[in-house]
Structure formats: C-alpha cells, structure tokens
Amino acid sequence: MSLIDTNGLPYQTVYVRNIYYMITTNIDVTDGLANGAVGKLVHVETNYEGLVKTIWLEFPDLPQIGKKFRRKAAGYAAEINVSRMAVPIVLRSSNIPLNNNKTIFVKRTHVSLVCVCATTIHKSQGNKYSEIVYEYDRRHSQSLLYVALSRVTSIEGLYITTKNNDKTFYHCRRRSSSTIDLQDEFKRLSLNKLQTINGDLINFITNRQGLSIFTFNCQSLTAHAVDLQDSVIRNSNILVLSETWLGNESDISIPNFNCIVKYKRPNTRAGGVAIYQNSSNAVNIITPSMECSVSQSDIYGTIQSSVGDLCLAECVIDNGQKIIIVAVYITPNKKLDDIIEFLHRSLLPYTSRGSALLNKN
C-alpha cells in the first residue's frame, strides 16, 4: 500500500541519527510541520518496551519550522538532554480500509516520517536546503525550473547534473510562452510607478514652516518603534503616541527623537501615552508640563480614575506663542460622562478660566 492509502503512515522505517527524514502528512501547517518538510534526525525516544514513541528532528535550513512545538516541549527536551532546536514528531494512528467496500479496517500507528535521499521538485516546494543536486531536464517548464533552483540557500550549494551529460542550458534562450503575459505586465508596471503622498507631505511640512505633529497608535511601542522611521515622521516636529504599553520606568529609543514625557497607569497592560520631540528641532522648545491620570490634585481633592492615560507638554514656538500638546488614551467601553469628566478635570488647569479658578499659572 502507498503512503496515500495509509494517510502518510509508512509500514516500516529505519531510523538513523544525522540522516534526513521527510514528514509525510500535515501535522501542523501553521507551524511549518507540513507534508514534505525535511529535517535531520537527532534523537530517537523509545518507551519501556524499546518501541519508538517520538522522533526528534532539527530543521537547520528553516529554523522557523516547529517553533511552537519546540516552545511547548522545551522543558521536557532539556530534561532528556535533547537539543533545544529539536522538534518532537510523535506517533499517529490511522484506520486503513483493506477492501474496496471499506468493510474491513486495520489500525496503523506509526511516526509519519520516511527517509529521504531524494525528492520531487513539487514535493520540495516550501523547503530550503543548504545543498541540492538538481537533475536538469530541458523538458521542465520554466516555473518548475524556478522552483528547483530556488530551493537552495546559496549558489555555492547548487549542483546541476543531467542524465546524458548534456551541459547545455536550454532555458531562458527565448521568452517562454507560459510567462509572456506575466513579463509584459511587469514591464507595464515598471513604466507606471505608483505615486505616493510622502513627497507632497514633506513639501507641505517644509514650506509651511509651522509646527508639524504626527500621531500614532502604537499598540506596543517596543514592537513598532521600527515603524517610526518613515520619511514623513523624520520631518515632523512632534510625535504624539498612544497605546505605548510602556511602563513609566521603561525607555524606548526612536531615531532622531527625544522622549519629553510619558505616562501609563501601573498594573495595566494596555494604554500608555508619550510625547517625543525631533532632536534636530531648534525652533520649538518642549518642556514636560505634567503627568496625570490615576490621581491628580485640584481644588476638588484627589481623583482616582480608571478612564485612561494622559500626559501633557508645553510647546513655545518661534513667535512666542504657547501651545499645550496632550496625548490621551481612553480605556474602551467607558461611559461618555466619565470620559468627559476625566478630560475636564485633567485639562481644566490649562484653560484661562480654569487656571484663574485654581489660582495657577
């Protein structure tokens, strides 16, 4: 019976360390453990009867394969002294029909692996190898040729052979009929470059010579600081960030920007706000004004708020005008009345009437 008939479970397999084996069924496609994935056997685990129960494979050319499985088995792998890069492949069972009427079934339990010394080009799709030997055939389509040659990670690991020792390379001598339309489309696209608004925005910022403020909802500044290197952002004066998820004691460096003020309520995962100033900005002067959210003092006493996070900074532009810049994060599903009260209580001292009422500058 073929592997197709047995749902990818072989009848018998000989296991040898440091030999490559191919997975013959989809174990977890999202983790890369799919039919056709090839790994090197590093450990054979048996039960008390001496029967194989788990095979541990490494995927040196594609280490992202089995990442979830490795994480789950990390503690056990260390306990049995197996490489932390090894992925466990366990026994699987399948009911196999023995007749056409499917009235007789047998149950086979095996590890879905076969020793692999060679594979078809189609089967190799999705895999990468440090070395390959490709048996070139002039009858192969150009797309099949591409798949074969692109499996190797470097040109030094590519070896090409032929059945009749013909060293002529027949492909790419003329445009392949199967790819003419695709090549024409690439040519058309190259002549119609997509125009973005980046240039227009930069010109607008430069020509206005005013205060440019860029707002960004980070959803983790640690994870998305790299996204703040856009050309428009680099030309902005101020960054106002929300959902930084950044503790008050933590600092994240953004190229060409200095953190002026930040705040996040303690003991909360989400939220967090921050204001950054362009380090090359000599026109505008930013000073931290205050941090408030969880508690703040005014004539009404101390307010404990779970509504959100808020921080402020004072900006004095070149004509002497003062501007208060506010970064606000509001926790989802809060009542509108609570949000209004939170903002009023937080920002009241920075209005002319509020500062007079509170006897503050």
Side-chain angles (χ1 to χ4, degrees):
M1 301 179 75
S2 69
L3 290 175
I4 296 176
D5 299 323
T6 62
N7 295 321
L9 297 181
Y11 176 71
Q12 186 178 36
T13 305
V14 177
Y15 297 112
V16 181
R17 286 184 178 85
N18 298 320
I19 296 297
Y20 283 85
Y21 289 79
M22 181 173 64
I23 298 175
T24 55
T25 188
N26 290 332
I27 299 174
D28 187 338
V29 177
T30 62
D31 203 20
L33 297 172
N35 184 5
V38 176
K40 183 173 68 173
L41 192 152
V42 295
H43 181 70
V44 178
E45 187 179 355
T46 58
N47 60 16
Y48 65 94
E49 296 178 336
L51 301 176
V52 173
K53 69 173 185 178
T54 306
I55 299 295
W56 295 76
L57 299 181
E58 286 186 356
F59 299 87
D61 296 319
L62 289 171
Q64 70 271 22
I65 291 181
K67 188 175 181 179
K68 290 191 298 185
F69 274 51
R70 286 201 306 270
R71 189 184 303 117
K72 291 179 181 179
Y76 181 65
E79 183 181 326
I80 62 174
N81 198 28
V82 173
S83 166
R84 63 183 182 87
M85 295 303 295
V87 179
I89 309 297
V90 299
L91 293 170
R92 297 170 66 91
S93 296
S94 177
N95 292 319
I96 304 169
L98 294 183
N99 58 357
N100 293 332
N101 296 329
K102 297 184 178 181
T103 57
I104 303 175
F105 287 83
V106 295
K107 184 177 182 180
R108 175 176 292 182
T109 300
H110 209 287
V111 182
S112 53
L113 295 173
V114 293
C115 182
V116 56
C117 296
T119 184
T120 64
I121 297 173
H122 291 95
K123 197 78 169 180
S124 70
Q125 281 189 291
N127 289 317
K128 291 288 184 182
Y129 308 98
S130 57
E131 292 183 322
I132 67 167
V133 178
Y134 166 48
E135 187 176 75
Y136 177 70
D137 192 322
R138 62 185 299 179
R139 295 170 298 178
H140 286 170
S141 66
Q142 191 157 314
S143 56
L144 196 65
L145 176 71
Y146 165 77
V147 173
L149 298 181
S150 60
R151 297 309 93 198
V152 68
T153 55
S154 67
I155 191 67
E156 291 78 14
L158 174 62
Y159 301 89
I160 300 177
T161 184
T162 58
K163 287 184 177 180
N164 54 7
N165 203 30
D166 182 3
K167 294 182 172 58
T168 305
F169 193 78
Y170 293 94
H171 289 76
C172 299
R173 290 187 165 191
R174 63 180 184 275
R175 297 176 70 187
S176 171
S177 58
S178 62
T179 59
I180 286 178
D181 291 342
L182 182 61
Q183 292 174 5
D184 289 342
E185 178 64 10
F186 280 143
K187 183 177 180 180
R188 185 190 69 81
L189 291 174
S190 68
L191 299 175
N192 295 274
K193 295 183 179 179
L194 179 65
Q195 297 295 324
T196 67
I197 64 171
N198 276 27
D200 294 336
L201 288 174
I202 293 173
N203 289 335
F204 178 80
I205 292 172
T206 304
N207 295 333
R208 285 285 300 270
Q209 296 182 347
L211 182 66
S212 55
I213 301 175
F214 190 97
T215 63
F216 182 63
N217 183 275
C218 305
Q219 295 189 353
S220 176
L221 182 57
T222 303
H224 296 287
V226 67
D227 298 330
L228 295 171
Q229 299 181 28
D230 179 85
S231 57
V232 174
I233 295 176
R234 290 197 300 268
N235 284 274
S236 299
N237 301 125
I238 307 296
L239 297 184
V240 178
L241 309 178
S242 60
E243 286 202 79
T244 60
W245 301 0
L246 196 64
N248 296 320
E249 304 302 322
S250 302
D251 289 313
I252 295 295
S253 175
I254 300 176
N256 304 317
F257 282 88
N258 298 322
C259 181
I260 302 304
V261 60
K262 63 179 183 294
Y263 183 74
K264 188 175 84 69
R265 290 163 294 167
N267 303 320
T268 59
R269 176 183 177 273
V273 289
I275 299 174
Y276 281 72
Q277 179 190 16
N278 195 315
S279 56
S280 62
N281 179 15
V283 177
N284 306 290
I285 303 171
I286 302 294
T287 55
S289 183
M290 65 173 288
E291 297 179 4
C292 61
S293 175
V294 175
S295 63
Q296 53 200 25
S297 297
D298 54 27
I299 60 173
Y300 302 105
T302 300
I303 303 171
Q304 296 293 331
S305 175
S306 61
V307 174
D309 300 326
L310 185 148
C311 69
L312 305 93
E314 182 182 85
C315 173
V316 182
I317 59 179
D318 54 354
N319 63 3
Q321 183 180 4
K322 291 184 179 181
I323 299 175
I324 300 298
I325 299 175
V326 184
V328 182
Y329 168 76
I330 302 298
T331 304
N333 302 320
K334 294 299 179 181
K335 294 181 179 179
L336 181 59
D337 290 343
D338 293 338
I339 296 173
I340 293 174
E341 181 181 2
F342 167 69
L343 294 176
H344 282 182
R345 293 290 182 91
S346 301
L347 302 178
L348 181 63
Y350 300 93
T351 64
S352 56
R353 182 176 298 181
S355 62
L357 178 65
L358 299 175
N359 194 25
K360 294 183 178 181
N361 294 326

